[in-house]
Amino acid sequence: MAKKLYIKTYGCQMNVYDSERIAEVLAPLGYEATDQSAGADMVILNTCHIRERAAEKVYSELGRLRKHKNAMAAEGRHMVLAVTGCVAQAEGEEVLSRAPYVDIVFGPQTYHRLPQMIAEASRASGQVLDTEFPEESKFDGLPQARTVNGAAAFLTIQEGCDKFCTYCVVPYTRGAEFSRAATDVLSEARNLVAAGAQEITFLGQNVNSYHGEAPGGSAHGSEWNLARLIREAAQIDGLARIRFTTSYPAEVDDDLIAAHGDVEKLMPYLHLPVQSGSDRVLKAMNRNHGVDEYRRLVDKLRKARPDIALSSDFIVGFPGENDADFRATLKLVEEVSFIQAYSFKYSPRPGTPAAMMDLQIDEAVKSERLAELQALLNTQTQNFNNQMIGKTVPVLLDRTGKMAGQLIGRSPYMQAVVVDAPQNLMNCIVDVTIDAASPNSLMGTLNLDSRKACA
Ligand code: SF4
C-alpha cells in the first residue's frame, strides 16, 4: 500500500530543493506525496530560522498536527511526525522537549539517512535526533534520478557560509561553505533536463563562492568557479535557461561578469543582496564590502549586460542605524534602481552578535523606515514593468492562470507573464508581446508560431 507523505516547506529555495530530495529518498520506501497533512502516514516540516516569527510558526503548526496524529492513533494508525531544516538544526533538542509527540528531528545535512531514522523511530520507544554535520556528503547518499515538477528546477551546488554577518544564523545552521564536485552537479543537471527541466537555478547560500572540484581534478587540485560551471552547463542540450542565487557582492568575480555578458543561456537577472546603503551599518553587519564597491560592481555588470535586472535584500532598523544611515540606503536604491527587492525589519536572532548589540531600534521606527523603503522599491518595480510594454520577450510557460485558457510564465527577468495560450504550450518557451504591466505581473499576447522549445 502506498504511504502518504506530506512535506510543508518554509523559507528559501534551498529548503524547496531539500524537500524535493527528501521525497526522492522516501519514494523507494513506498511514500507518495500528498497535499493533505490529515491522514498522512508521514508529515515533515522543513523549517526556516531566519526570523523570529518563522521559528514560532513551527511550534503552532506542530500543535495543529498533534490533533491529526492523535486522530490517527485513535484509528490504530501511526503518523510519523518529523521536523527538519534550520530550526531543527539550531534547536533540535528544544523541538523534542517542547513537542514530545514529534518522532524524528533531523538537520539539512542528514536527510540521506532518513530510512534508518524511520526504522529506528519505529523500533525505539524514544525519539530520533540527528543534526550532525556528517563526514560523508549527503549528496553521495541521494538517488541519482531526479523528478521535475513543470519545466523549472532547483539544483543545490553549494551549501553553508563562512561570512558570519552579525545578524545571520545561516553559518550556525548550515555550517561551513561546501561546494559539490562539478562532475556531480553536471550529471544532476543532465538528469533534470532528461526529466523535463528547461530552466535550472543553481542554489547556494553563497552560490558565487562556488569552487567545485574540476572533473578528474582532485589529483591536479584544480577547481571550477561558478562562471566555469555555468559555461559547461550551457553545453547541455535541452537546457534553455540558467539562473543562480544567492550571491554575495564581494564574491562576484570578473569571470562571472563576463559570463553574464556572453553566455546566452544565462538569464539577465541577478539577485545581489546589499542589506544597507550605509558603510557604517555594513561594517556593523560584518559585510565584507562597502557601498562604493557595490556601486562599481553594478556598473561593471551593466557594462557587460546592459539589460541585466538587479534585485536585492534590505534590512532596516539594524542596531545603531540612524536617520542618515537610512537616507543613505534610500539614496543607493534610487541610484541602482532594482527590478524588485526583499526588505525586512531587523529581527534579533538568538546567538547572533547583532542580537547583543546596544542601540536596538524601536519597532515603530523600523516600521516607518520599512514603509518608506518599500514605497520606493514598489515604484521601481512598476517602472521596470512599464518599460516592458510593447516589447516581445521569450516566456517559459509553467503554470495555469486564474482564468480559463490562461497560462502564466516567467520572463528572462523573473517577471510573471500572463497570456492567453492553449494548454499544450505548458512547459514551452514562447514569444510574448507585452501589452500591460501591474506591480506584480505583465500581461501579453502570444506570438502564435513562436514556440521555441518545449519540455
Ligand atoms: S552571507 Fe548571507 S548566508 Fe552568509 S552570513 Fe551573510 S547573510 Fe547569512
Side-chain angles (χ1 to χ4, degrees):
M1 267 277 293
K3 289 176 274 189
K4 292 195 191 128
L5 169 67
Y6 174 78
I7 304 180
K8 183 168 177 112
T9 306
Y10 301 83
C12 65
Q13 293 109 327
M14 294 187 76
N15 267 10
V16 174
Y17 173 86
D18 286 340
S19 290
E20 290 171 357
R21 301 313 316 260
I22 288 170
E24 288 167 356
V25 166
L26 294 176
L29 304 186
Y31 285 97
E32 281 180 5
T34 174
D35 55 10
Q36 301 287 323
S37 56
D41 298 285
M42 183 162 192
V43 171
I44 301 176
L45 299 185
N46 189 358
T47 61
C48 169
H49 200 2
I50 283 292
R51 268 169 288 284
E52 175 123 18
R53 246 167 346 119
E56 281 316 308
K57 268 193 215 153
V58 173
Y59 292 107
S60 56
E61 181 67 11
L62 285 173
R64 200 181 65 76
L65 290 166
R66 182 183 196 173
K67 299 193 186 83
H68 291 322
K69 189 175 167 96
N70 293 346
M72 286 177 70
E75 300 162 10
R77 295 179 56 206
H78 176 61
M79 173 204 276
V80 179
L81 183 51
V83 178
T84 188
C86 293
V87 172
Q89 188 66 42
E91 45 188 83
E93 304 268 1
E94 190 179 339
V95 172
L96 291 177
S97 59
R98 278 182 68 175
Y101 46 88
V102 168
D103 303 289
I104 305 174
V105 172
F106 58 101
Q109 301 311 329
T110 59
Y111 59 74
H112 58 300
R113 298 173 174 169
L114 252 182
Q116 294 95 307
M117 293 184 220
I118 294 171
E120 201 186 324
S122 60
R123 270 199 311 274
S125 58
Q127 299 159 310
V128 174
L129 173 67
D130 188 349
T131 51
E132 271 191 14
F133 285 101
E135 280 298 307
E136 83 277 7
S137 158
K138 68 178 177 195
F139 295 103
D140 300 341
L142 299 178
Q144 291 302 307
R146 294 296 328 270
T147 47
V148 175
N149 309 318
F154 292 134
L155 202 176
T156 291
I157 67 170
Q158 182 271 348
E159 285 195 305
C161 184
D162 301 341
K163 305 290 183 271
F164 292 93
C165 299
T166 53
Y167 52 84
C168 185
V169 292
V170 170
Y172 312 101
T173 57
R174 291 275 179 163
E177 287 177 14
F178 161 79
S179 293
R180 297 177 66 189
T183 312
D184 299 345
V185 172
L186 292 174
S187 117
E188 186 170 338
R190 288 190 199 93
N191 291 341
L192 286 167
V193 171
Q198 292 199 70
E199 177 180 293
I200 290 179
T201 302
F202 289 143
L203 300 179
Q205 265 93 24
N206 246 331
V207 71
N208 56 331
S209 67
Y210 176 80
H211 52 271
E213 182 190 299
S218 61
H220 320 109
S222 67
E223 294 178 335
W224 282 2
N225 61 11
L226 179 58
R228 180 68 193 278
L229 184 71
I230 288 169
R231 288 182 187 282
E232 295 293 331
Q235 311 307 314
I236 299 174
D237 282 344
L239 179 57
R241 296 176 160 197
I242 299 171
R243 301 181 185 276
F244 59 88
T245 196
T246 296
S247 298
Y248 188 77
E251 302 257 13
V252 176
D253 59 19
D254 289 345
D255 286 354
L256 195 55
I257 294 171
H260 265 299
D262 54 30
V263 178
E264 206 187 323
K265 290 183 179 181
L266 180 57
M267 293 294 103
Y269 175 91
L270 177 61
H271 183 59
L272 198 60
V274 69
Q275 309 297 356
S276 171
S278 153
D279 281 331
R280 211 175 63 80
V281 173
L282 288 176
K283 196 156 185 326
M285 287 176 165
N286 189 33
R287 298 280 291 177
N288 307 346
H289 64 82
V291 179
D292 281 347
E293 202 180 331
Y294 189 84
R295 286 193 185 99
R296 284 195 296 276
L297 180 55
V298 169
D299 292 348
K300 285 169 91 173
L301 283 161
R302 286 189 166 148
K303 215 175 263 109
R305 183 72 199 240
D307 69 324
I308 196 164
L310 296 173
S311 78
S312 195
D313 290 347
F314 291 94
I315 294 174
V316 297
F318 186 79
E321 181 191 67
N322 60 30
D323 195 54
D325 296 319
F326 178 62
R327 300 282 130 210
T329 296
L330 295 178
K331 182 165 174 295
L332 179 67
V333 171
E334 273 151 10
E335 277 172 29
V336 173
S337 188
F338 294 96
I339 183 173
Q340 62 99 27
Y342 304 96
S343 50
F344 308 96
K345 293 190 279 188
Y346 169 69
S347 165
R349 303 309 300 128
T352 59
M356 270 78 82
M357 286 179 184
D358 300 336
L359 304 177
Q360 297 284 334
I361 307 292
D362 186 65
E363 274 307 306
V365 174
K366 288 182 190 174
S367 304
E368 226 177 82
R369 287 178 181 167
L370 186 63
E372 188 173 354
L373 174 62
Q374 289 182 340
L376 173 58
L377 290 168
N378 293 344
T379 307
Q380 293 188 343
T381 301
Q382 185 65 60
N383 292 346
F384 193 104
N385 288 353
N386 288 347
Q387 53 88 27
M388 299 288 294
I389 296 173
K391 290 187 179 158
T392 297
V393 285
V395 172
L396 172 54
L397 298 172
D398 60 0
R399 288 158 278 163
T400 48
K402 290 202 189 80
M403 322 287 274
Q406 220 178 39
L407 293 181
I408 301 179
R410 213 193 302 252
S411 80
Y413 310 106
M414 283 296 266
Q415 299 149 306
V417 181
V418 184
V419 63
D420 292 339
Q423 192 62 28
N424 67 355
L425 288 181
M426 181 66 90
N427 300 331
C428 295
I429 297 176
V430 295
D431 280 345
V432 175
T433 302
I434 306 303
D435 309 319
S438 75
N440 306 318
S441 64
L442 305 173
M443 283 63 77
T445 304
L446 177 68
N447 295 21
L448 275 175
D449 51 9
S450 71
R451 187 179 355 203
K452 286 191 174 349
C454 288

